[in-house]
Amino acid sequence: MGRAVTRPPGHPPVVLSIAGSDPSGGAGIQADLKTFSALGGYGCAVITALTAQSTRGVSGVFPIPAGFVAEQLDALFADVGIDAVKVGMIANAEIARAVADALRRYAPPVVVLDPVMVATSGDRLLAPDAEDVMRSELLPLADLITPNLDEAAALLGTQRAADADETRAQSLALRAIGARRVLLKGGHLVGPEATDYLVDSDGRVQELTAERIDTANTHGTGCTLSSAVAVLRPGADDWFTAVQEAKAYLTTALRHADELMIGGTGTDYSPYSGHGPVHHFSAMWPRR
Ligand SMILES: Nc1ncnc2c1ncn2[C@@H]1O[C@H](COP(=O)(O)OP(=O)(O)OP(=O)(O)O)[C@@H](O)[C@H]1O
Ligand SMILES: Cc1ncc(CO)c(N)n1
């Protein structure tokens, strides 16, 4: 897309998250900024929606008026040189159009689109009529899209892939509808490994496999992975290397997720009943 900003050697990449807020800190803008910091980036954030959510689920969504999302983007791009953008929850069609307009106008060098539709808890985060705008306007502007199995099926208007062969086929089908590169996440498939499929701009499919961590605390895995790719891509040789490193970071954060004990009401710690967050902690990186 656009041209990169020239900065002094070793300067942190400046990365923007355009996404929704998760007050529990596990997903959304909060997860994105933690990921940027843990991986050595400088994070900026344009908020598209507030959510009321916890580890148990989403109880409310309050979209920011699209004109004000545009105003945030204009203010930022007029002043700050952005090396990479990650787009997460965009809530509705008007916001999707405002984000697409800004990406066309400011043409940042790297755009990673996580086409967030439904939270881990099963709650909807995107108005159904916005799926069309996501497909027709945002998808072609992204250098990489990172759908999970349900989001891929929704974008393709088909059934969710049930096995590795179908997942691979759908990753290629997403390129056929206009995505430049695709990272189709197989996290919801069963098996001893968590395998994702990266389709590069030449149509080559590469598998990325990690040990499946036995934990219920998977809130924000998708946000973390897409943010990690965005912050790592400017300093990486190629997309595969950035995605591989991002997945290694996520797997480490998942491995340490059960150490976080954020549950509690009153004065007592209590385990959360929902899906807890993954553990971002820069000092543990690159500890495995
Ligand atoms: N238990 C696990 N162990 C290791 N890796 C996992 C596990 N669950 C998911 N992953 C990995 O996490 C990343 C996100 O995948 P997933 O399919 O969960 O995305 P998502 O549904 O978009 O996430 P979110 O829960 O944030 O909505 C992928 O790289 C996937 O392989
Ligand atoms: C704000 C927000 N964005 C994304 C997700 C997806 O996990 C979530 N739960 N909340």
Side-chain angles (χ1 to χ4, degrees):
M1 291 185 83
R3 279 189 304 130
V5 180
T6 308
R7 297 190 202 283
H11 191 283
V14 178
V15 191
L16 165 64
S17 168
I18 304 173
S21 162
D22 168 10
S24 74
I29 287 281
Q30 289 81 352
D32 299 347
L33 291 175
K34 290 173 197 182
T35 305
F36 298 158
S37 293
L39 291 172
Y42 175 87
C44 303
V46 164
I47 299 189
T48 56
L50 305 179
T51 69
Q53 70 174 297
S54 68
T55 68
R56 296 175 184 171
V58 180
S59 58
V61 173
F62 184 84
I64 304 300
F68 198 75
V69 173
E71 195 173 331
Q72 294 179 68
L73 288 163
D74 289 341
L76 183 71
F77 277 105
D79 181 45
V80 176
I82 301 294
D83 296 313
V85 174
K86 170 253 161 87
V87 182
M89 175 183 179
I90 43 149
N92 62 38
E94 294 73 36
I95 296 174
R97 286 193 196 96
V99 171
D101 279 351
L103 293 178
R104 273 190 287 266
R105 189 145 14 105
Y106 300 112
V110 170
V111 177
V112 177
L113 170 66
D114 187 14
V116 172
M117 294 179 186
V118 175
T120 311
S121 52
D123 300 286
R124 272 210 81 90
L125 297 173
L126 183 73
D129 69 336
E131 284 178 20
D132 267 350
V133 187
M134 169 100 81
R135 191 172 22 239
S136 59
E137 293 217 35
L138 278 174
L139 183 138
L141 292 168
D143 296 293
L144 176 74
I145 65 165
T146 64
N148 65 21
L149 294 174
D150 293 310
E151 291 153 357
L155 287 169
L156 292 168
T158 183
Q159 296 293 310
R160 172 181 159 147
D163 57 30
D165 285 347
E166 284 180 21
T167 307
R168 184 182 270 269
Q170 289 198 4
S171 67
L172 284 164
L174 284 164
R175 251 193 100 239
I177 64 161
R180 210 165 296 162
R181 294 179 195 79
V182 180
L183 178 65
L184 182 42
K185 302 171 292 188
H188 300 279
L189 287 172
V190 286
E193 287 173 334
T195 302
D196 305 333
Y197 296 85
L198 176 67
V199 190
D200 221 321
S201 53
D202 57 5
R204 192 162 47 116
V205 187
Q206 288 168 290
E207 259 181 54
L208 294 109
T209 296
E211 162 203 2
R212 179 176 293 281
I213 310 296
D214 182 17
T215 178
N217 298 322
T218 56
H219 183 79
T221 48
C223 302
T224 300
L225 184 68
S226 53
S227 294
V229 176
V231 67
L232 291 167
R233 179 63 189 98
D237 288 340
D238 51 43
W239 283 94
F240 182 78
T241 311
V243 171
Q244 200 174 33
E245 185 82 340
K247 191 165 166 71
Y249 172 75
L250 171 64
T251 306
T252 305
L254 270 164
R255 191 173 289 127
H256 292 271
D258 292 358
E259 294 163 16
L260 274 178
M261 294 183 282
I262 65 166
T265 48
T267 55
D268 292 328
Y269 161 74
S270 54
Y272 19 75
S273 48
H275 295 284
V278 302
H279 196 354
H280 300 275
F281 180 34
S282 55
M284 80 186 178
W285 185 252
R287 175 162 72 85
R288 306 289 160 96

